[in-house]
Amino acid sequence: MGFAKQNLDFNKNEDEMKLKISKLNKKLQIIQKGGGDAKIKKHHDKGKLTARERIDCLLDKGCDYLEIGSFAGYDMYKEHGGCPAGGVVVVIGYVSKKLCVVVANDATVKAGAWFPITGKKNLRAQEIAMENKLPIIYLVDSAGVYLPMQDEIFPDKEHFGRIFSNNAKISAMGIPQISAIMGSCVAGGAYLPIMSDESLIVEHTGSIFLAGSYLVKAAIGEVVDNETLGGATTHCEISGVTDYKCKDDKECLSTIRDMMGRIGDNDTAGFNREESKKPGENSSNLYGAFPVQRTDNYDVKNVIKLLVDESKFTEYKSDYGKTIVCAYARIDGWSVGIVANQRQVVKTKKGEMQFGGVIYSDSADKAARFIMNCNQKKIPLVFLQDVSGFMVGSRSEHGGIIKDGAKMVNAMSNSVVPKFTIVMGNSYGAGNYAMCGKAYDPRLIVGWPTAEIAVMGGAQAAKVLLQIEMASLKAKGEEISKEKEEELYNNIKQKYDDQTSPYYAAARLWVDEIIEPLETRKWISIGIAAANQNPDIKPYNVGVIQT
């Protein structure tokens, strides 16, 4: 590949990517403070660790882990004071050498109360545990539903109650669930730890009850303090609701580690893995290899070389359907099948030019066949998204682009091997769908800081919306000057661009995380290790496909 450091385009890309990563890290530093220094101090004064400190104590030292949904709730709920990380920290990591999911309420954020995004994030954590058959540990410290928004979190199918439905289903699947009551656990939320296999409670700081002392007094006139009502002594010695009483957070977490260390091993899915090898090229070249500007072309094969072991891959149908690259490779030793959009303008053997980042009929046909092959061979799939959509126009329609696109979507949708999606750049329209967007159940989906997710690009969308707006104004008899037209266009484009930002997507959990490119290998590797814990792979059947 031989990247030349004196290459101006490379250096420009590298500088812009580093600026985006710096911006990413600054945002993360603020988010990881939760409710802020004053709330953290108040937490410590009670003898409690914060959610992130609890997780640090729980996880195996020196082992990689993934945080899911750091940006959940980002820039949302401003009128309520915000909700950093959705008020809950979720990680996939190792506890006593067992890969598991950890869910920790952040009580520095509105006392750990549940906002709508909190519920969505908790459901995502349970989904990951269920898909991969990973044990799940809940570190509970929550005041329950955030009452000013109760109508958006309480009654619907994918709201708060779904958590307890999943508790029951996870248990029936034989997946271990351990809950630690390390602070408040009230009202309906009290069912979560008790529907787990085993529960621990911390003395003096942990409490669990259906109604707190104020509500009890209002409801039945009884005067009782919270410790007597639902503290550690009450539930370990009188009610029998909890199983273990711990003197402080550290003893509680140590006990969980001991419990996890006694869990037996399960069968695995048997995904192929060899000794991990680093890419043959310098991985930091990713910063310069990927263009920040949407209009710049690049060869995605250079990106693949920087992600895969020894920079080696075997390309499938290399001379056919060139706007999608399909390849077999290894990432951190794991065998993978890669489906990647090619933004480079390419020339076919017929002498035709194909636009980069666009899916043509031949590309969709090739990708569908490759996806089927990976399922046949039990090889996990990795989708590298930088897609503007499917090719349009009379020639494409006459050539059956809808039929070939449907074939690719069908093959991908019915895939039984785990899928992992990396949104590197554009993720527009039906291209998002075909390349395994969130609606198609990737085991993990992450975006680089350069990601954009929308029906179409901001400039395209603004032009379409501008035409509609101008037609409406003209119908009302208004005269539209060039200046007015430009102002309308810029306002529409700015609003649309804001919504295509990776932070907008991550705030709503359309992606699990925004990551810097050098973390891509880690996410895929841990993701496959998690998927390997579930041996139950169904037979592959794509149903009816038009050919």
Side-chain angles (χ1 to χ4, degrees), residues 14-176:
E14 184 177 46
D15 289 345
E16 290 196 40
M17 181 67 84
K18 286 182 176 179
L19 283 172
K20 286 183 176 290
I21 291 169
S22 176
K23 178 182 176 182
L24 169 68
N25 290 332
K26 286 177 181 176
K27 290 178 184 294
L28 282 172
Q29 286 172 9
I30 296 170
I31 287 168
Q32 288 167 1
K33 287 279 188 179
D37 290 332
K39 292 287 179 67
I40 291 172
K41 183 180 184 304
K42 189 175 179 181
H43 207 67
H44 286 162
D45 289 345
K46 294 178 182 177
K48 298 163 71 174
L49 300 173
T50 66
R52 293 181 185 279
E53 289 167 345
R54 288 166 176 167
I55 289 173
D56 286 343
C57 284
L58 186 63
L59 296 180
D60 293 352
K61 304 304 177 197
C63 289
D64 282 337
Y65 67 90
L66 308 177
E67 180 168 349
I68 304 293
S70 295
F71 285 94
Y74 177 77
D75 231 9
M76 297 168 66
Y77 314 121
K78 290 179 181 178
E79 66 277 25
H80 299 279
C83 186
V88 61
V89 184
V90 174
V91 302
I92 304 172
Y94 289 90
V95 177
S96 297
K97 300 182 180 179
K98 295 288 190 300
L99 193 58
C100 61
V101 177
V102 182
V103 181
N105 299 116
D106 186 350
T108 70
V109 179
K110 289 287 193 296
W114 289 57
F115 283 68
I117 197 65
T118 317
K120 187 173 184 179
K121 187 170 174 178
N122 274 264
L123 289 172
R124 177 62 178 138
Q126 289 183 319
E127 179 183 40
I128 290 169
M130 294 165 82
E131 283 182 329
N132 301 292
K133 289 201 168 181
L134 297 181
I136 184 164
I137 299 168
Y138 306 98
L139 306 180
V140 184
D141 194 346
S142 171
V145 167
Y146 183 61
L147 292 178
M149 303 186 74
Q150 65 85 26
D151 61 320
E152 297 182 47
I153 181 61
F154 172 65
D156 209 348
K157 181 177 179 179
E158 297 296 328
H159 282 179
F160 195 44
R162 191 73 171 197
I163 305 289
F164 316 130
S165 173
N166 283 346
N167 282 145
K169 291 175 181 177
I170 291 169
S171 183
M173 292 171 69
I175 300 171

Side-chain angles (χ1 to χ4, degrees), residues 232-248:
T233 299
T234 294
H235 286 309
C236 285
E237 297 182 17
I238 301 172
S239 72
V241 165
T242 51
D243 306 308
Y244 305 90
K245 181 166 63 174
C246 306
K247 67 180 181 181
D248 56 26

Side-chain angles (χ1 to χ4, degrees), residues 255-316:
T255 304
I256 294 172
R257 287 184 54 79
D258 179 70
M259 294 163 70
M260 287 295 298
R262 299 176 188 276
I263 295 175
D265 293 327
N266 293 328
D267 294 333
T268 67
F271 299 126
N272 183 277
R273 191 180 196 185
E274 293 182 354
E275 181 186 353
S276 174
K277 295 178 181 177
K278 294 180 180 179
E281 303 277 352
N282 185 349
S283 291
S284 64
N285 282 333
L286 270 175
Y287 295 156
F290 187 83
V292 173
Q293 296 301 319
R294 304 287 131 187
T295 53
D296 292 347
N297 289 320
Y298 68 100
D299 190 346
V300 77
K301 295 176 191 178
N302 290 337
V303 173
I304 293 172
K305 287 178 182 177
L306 295 166
L307 292 174
V308 303
D309 291 12
E310 298 185 291
S311 298
K312 293 179 180 178
F313 61 88
T314 302
E315 189 175 356
Y316 174 77

